[in-house]
Amino acid sequence: NSGKSHEAHLQMYITQNLGRGINKSLDNALGINNRTIEWLGNEVSCGVGMQRIDVMFSIEESKIQRYLCPIELKAVFASEDNTRQLTRYVDRIEQYYKRNRISTIQPILICKKGKQISDKVKKSFMKFNERRGIQPLRYIEYEVKSDDIVFNEVEYTK
């Protein structure tokens, strides 16, 4: 609330609390829903350029199928270029990970809550969703309330 938030703090909070039942809004927003996280990482290197995915987790859907979620974190409001990084992450996952392990890829963008997302931002999200072979982008906003962080998925297709 003091304007001193940083993505690293948000990243640490998510990796420490996801799937533990500590923050129900976090688990619900990210679709954990009593499913067991098979793998969770932060600053996950991907590809030759060693770009790093802020947070990524995997849930085993079956013996051969995984639900894989790369997450881009922003300590600011959503903008048109947020999907650019997620596009690169998905490219790397498809090139290196998905070839070896069948996976449903669910990209997630988490940004600070504060102002209504613009039509331009919504259009950039919809353009990102035109890509085949991945799930539509899940857009989640967070805010600090009563010394806790509250996460809510935002519907942007209407």
Side-chain angles (χ1 to χ4, degrees), residues 1 6 13 16 21 32 40 42 51 53 62 70 99 127 132 139 148 150 154 156:
N1 284 336
H6 296 284
Y13 182 87
Q16 287 180 339
I32 301 302
L40 172 65
N42 67 305
Q51 293 176 310
I53 300 171
S62 72
R99 289 181 178 207
K127 183 170 174 48
R132 296 192 181 273
Y139 173 60
D148 201 7
V150 178
V154 176
Y156 59 85

Side-chain angles (χ1 to χ4, degrees), residues 88-141:
R88 289 195 307 254
Y89 298 163
V90 169
D91 287 345
R92 296 296 188 246
I93 290 167
E94 288 179 334
Q95 290 172 357
Y96 297 101
Y97 185 91
K98 196 172 177 179
R99 289 181 178 207
N100 299 311
R101 183 171 252 182
I102 300 169
S103 302
T104 300
I105 300 172
Q106 175 61 74
I108 299 172
L109 173 63
I110 299 177
C111 294
K112 181 179 180 179
K113 181 179 178 178
K115 60 181 182 178
Q116 188 80 358
I117 56 175
S118 71
D119 288 340
K120 286 183 179 183
V121 171
K122 289 178 186 179
K123 283 181 184 178
S124 73
F125 291 176
M126 297 304 287
K127 183 170 174 48
F128 177 84
N129 289 342
E130 292 173 2
R131 183 183 185 124
R132 296 192 181 273
I134 63 170
Q135 297 296 306
L137 174 68
R138 293 183 66 197
Y139 173 60
I140 297 166
E141 292 181 334

